[in-house]
Amino acid sequence: MAQPMRKILVEFFYDTVSPYSYIAFQVINRCNKSWTNMDLKLKPAFLPAVMQQTNNAPPAMVPARGRYMSHDLLRMADFYKVPFKMPRNISDVMMNKGTISAQRLLTVVATEAPQYLEGLSREIFMRVWVRDEDVTMVESLKDACRAVGMGHEVDQLVGKMAHTDVKDELRRVTQEAIDYGSFGMPTFVAHLTNEPTMLFGSDRLFLLAYYLKQSWPCDVTEAKL
Amino acid sequence: MAQPMRKILVEFFYDTVSPYSYIAFQVINRCNKSWTNMDLKLKPAFLPAVMQQTNNAPPAMVPARGRYMSHDLLRMADFYKVPFKMPRNISDVMMNKGTISAQRLLTVVATEAPQYLEGLSREIFMRVWVRDEDVTMVESLKDACRAVGMGHEVDQLVGKMAHTDVKDELRRVTQEAIDYGSFGMPTFVAHLTNEPTMLFGSDRLFLLAYYLKQSWPCDVTEAKL
């Protein structure tokens, strides 16, 4: 009798404020269709807390890095065939507006309606990183929920965003990433053997493929973006 | 009559102080054997000046990044099948000792004995990143020259390291990297069309392959490391 395939848990920590999280999110979910030994778990977390607690600074704080990042994001999106459009004011999106509400909503959904987590995360990511829409407003988040097929539960779920236990849960998941050694996002944690392997950045997806003995890059035609 | 293949100039800016430069150096030279449309030009430069002029800081200044970097380097070396051994004191190697003499010697060799540039760069890189040997001493650099087959010219070339025109040339090449938008090393500049495309980091080699329409990763068996 054939051995049942051992699925390898891969946790993906992300914040919709992060453009590299966006690209990695699109790609890892695409890979998830063909990497049959991966058990992917989406973990919405809060990037600013990770940066602050580890004394890390966003790459764009160095002007030359910031200029490079704009090109690099377009190149990565082109390589992976991921829709991407630079927001008119990326520093306003990342530094001022942020995504605390969105990440709290995703935390609610992760707990109470996990069947919508992938879809809603994608919808929020695309509002920010493709359509340059503001996700700081509750109405925008409600629209996002409806866009992925939620019905009567929208008001109830959105209403829970500000609950203490939701804030605590987002803090807990963020702390989990930090405890794995994360200092930014996206962060992958692959439970390959006894010891979890933390991989930082969308540019370590090829290593994840290598460890999972899967092909990279994933075929762009095989799954919906 | 077949069109002659257009070779694409790829400049590779590196400092032997940088472990990611070391890995990229090994891999790009391996790729150079099979990427027949690449015209690779090795450009020894001075990383500390790039960091200082762009107000960039080494990743290891953030403790969590430093811890991660040690794992990441071992993983990248394993993936690419590049020999690598963490020096006993990596921060002493990178922050205190540095490689100014080595980079000046490579600058001399780039100008006066370019046939030795790849070999001597590899020898110096391996002294630092495989054998944990000190390359700050002139005798060590002379040994490195002899190890790659140089003979009577060693004393003369090493003697030129401190000349003003050599220091100026190293500054000029470093400034060239900065002018391309570099803020760290390794930096690749691919002259794809009219506009040079600057790619930062060993983790953008797959993009370079994509732009050159070549395969990645390069076959590890096909070329000497």
Side-chain angles (χ1 to χ4, degrees):
Chain A
M1 208 172 81
Q3 283 280 328
M5 186 175 54
R6 187 176 90 81
K7 287 242 186 192
I8 296 166
L9 172 64
V10 174
E11 298 178 272
F12 174 67
F13 294 89
Y14 62 102
D15 187 326
T16 51
V17 81
S18 147
Y20 288 105
S21 289
Y22 162 66
I23 289 171
F25 174 88
Q26 294 283 37
V27 179
I28 194 69
N29 280 292
R30 181 196 294 159
C31 293
N32 198 29
K33 307 281 191 279
S34 55
W35 293 359
T36 47
N37 65 339
M38 177 168 72
D39 174 21
L40 180 65
K41 195 161 169 57
L42 302 179
K43 314 266 295 204
F46 188 53
L47 179 57
V50 174
M51 302 299 276
Q52 193 179 20
Q53 281 200 47
T54 59
N55 286 312
N56 200 0
M61 295 300 281
V62 172
R65 288 198 90 124
R67 285 189 292 275
Y68 175 75
M69 199 174 96
S70 307
H71 295 292
D72 187 51
L73 284 166
L74 292 167
R75 287 170 191 159
M76 296 288 271
D78 169 58
F79 176 82
Y80 281 120
K81 307 288 176 265
V82 164
F84 180 85
K85 193 173 151 281
M86 195 61 69
R88 276 156 302 173
N89 191 338
I90 191 172
S91 98
D92 191 41
V93 167
M94 296 185 75
M95 301 297 150
N96 303 331
K97 288 181 171 171
T99 51
I100 181 76
S101 302
Q103 294 310 105
R104 283 178 182 158
L105 176 60
L106 291 174
T107 303
V108 176
V109 169
T111 313
E112 304 210 4
Q115 71 276 24
Y116 290 115
L117 182 59
E118 183 188 338
L120 184 62
S121 298
R122 178 173 293 109
E123 174 65 22
I124 293 172
F125 266 129
M126 292 187 74
R127 280 176 184 246
V128 182
W129 298 111
V130 182
R131 306 201 301 265
D132 197 6
E133 290 170 6
D134 195 332
V135 295
T136 61
M137 302 295 154
V138 170
E139 270 316 310
S140 174
L141 294 174
K142 285 186 179 175
D143 287 347
C145 289
R146 289 182 208 107
V148 298
M150 291 190 203
H152 60 90
E153 68 270 56
V154 171
D155 283 344
Q156 189 213 349
L157 291 173
V158 171
K160 288 191 177 172
M161 263 167 35
H163 285 197
T164 305
D165 55 350
V166 171
K167 293 179 181 175
D168 287 348
E169 174 65 6
L170 181 55
R171 273 193 211 99
R172 191 192 65 75
V173 173
T174 303
Q175 187 59 48
E176 211 181 353
I178 295 167
D179 292 344
Y180 280 129
S182 172
F183 47 86
M185 283 179 199
T187 285
F188 298 88
V189 179
H191 297 262
L192 296 168
T193 50
N194 298 327
E195 205 178 330
T197 297
M198 188 276 278
L199 299 171
F200 168 69
S202 60
D203 45 23
R204 290 301 180 272
L205 275 161
F206 73 89
L207 273 184
L208 185 61
Y210 176 60
Y211 293 142
L212 266 54
K213 300 183 173 52
Q214 297 290 349
S215 65
W216 178 94
C218 302
D219 183 357
V220 299
T221 60
E222 75 191 17
K224 190 184 138 210
L225 288 175
Chain B
M1 206 174 80
Q3 283 278 328
M5 185 176 55
R6 187 175 90 82
K7 286 241 186 191
I8 297 166
L9 173 65
V10 174
E11 299 177 271
F12 174 68
F13 294 88
Y14 62 101
D15 188 327
T16 50
V17 81
S18 146
Y20 288 106
S21 290
Y22 162 66
I23 289 171
F25 173 89
Q26 294 284 36
V27 179
I28 194 69
N29 279 293
R30 181 196 293 159
C31 293
N32 198 29
K33 307 280 192 281
S34 54
W35 293 359
T36 48
N37 66 339
M38 177 167 72
D39 174 20
L40 180 65
K41 195 161 170 52
L42 302 179
K43 313 267 293 205
F46 188 52
L47 179 57
V50 174
M51 303 298 277
Q52 193 178 19
Q53 281 200 47
T54 59
N55 286 312
N56 200 0
M61 295 299 282
V62 172
R65 289 198 90 123
R67 284 190 292 275
Y68 175 74
M69 198 175 96
S70 307
H71 295 293
D72 187 51
L73 284 166
L74 292 167
R75 288 170 190 160
M76 296 288 271
D78 169 58
F79 176 81
Y80 281 119
K81 307 288 177 264
V82 164
F84 179 86
K85 192 173 150 279
M86 195 61 70
R88 277 155 301 172
N89 190 337
I90 190 171
S91 99
D92 191 41
V93 168
M94 296 186 76
M95 301 298 150
N96 303 331
K97 287 181 172 172
T99 51
I100 181 75
S101 302
Q103 293 310 105
R104 284 180 182 158
L105 176 60
L106 291 174
T107 302
V108 176
V109 169
T111 313
E112 304 210 5
Q115 71 275 24
Y116 291 115
L117 182 59
E118 182 188 338
L120 184 62
S121 298
R122 177 172 294 110
E123 174 64 23
I124 293 172
F125 266 129
M126 292 186 73
R127 280 177 185 246
V128 181
W129 298 110
V130 181
R131 305 200 300 265
D132 198 6
E133 289 170 5
D134 194 332
V135 295
T136 61
M137 301 295 153
V138 170
E139 269 315 311
S140 174
L141 294 175
K142 285 186 179 176
D143 287 348
C145 289
R146 289 183 207 108
V148 297
M150 290 190 204
H152 61 88
E153 68 269 57
V154 170
D155 284 345
Q156 189 213 350
L157 292 172
V158 170
K160 288 189 177 171
M161 264 168 37
H163 285 196
T164 305
D165 56 350
V166 170
K167 293 180 182 174
D168 286 349
E169 173 65 6
L170 181 56
R171 274 193 210 99
R172 191 192 65 73
V173 173
T174 302
Q175 188 59 48
E176 211 182 352
I178 294 168
D179 292 344
Y180 280 129
S182 172
F183 47 85
M185 285 181 198
T187 285
F188 298 88
V189 179
H191 296 262
L192 296 168
T193 50
N194 297 326
E195 206 178 330
T197 297
M198 189 276 278
L199 299 170
F200 168 69
S202 60
D203 45 24
R204 289 301 179 273
L205 275 162
F206 73 89
L207 273 184
L208 185 61
Y210 176 60
Y211 293 142
L212 265 55
K213 299 183 173 50
Q214 297 290 348
S215 65
W216 178 94
C218 301
D219 182 358
V220 299
T221 59
E222 77 191 15
K224 190 185 138 210
L225 290 173

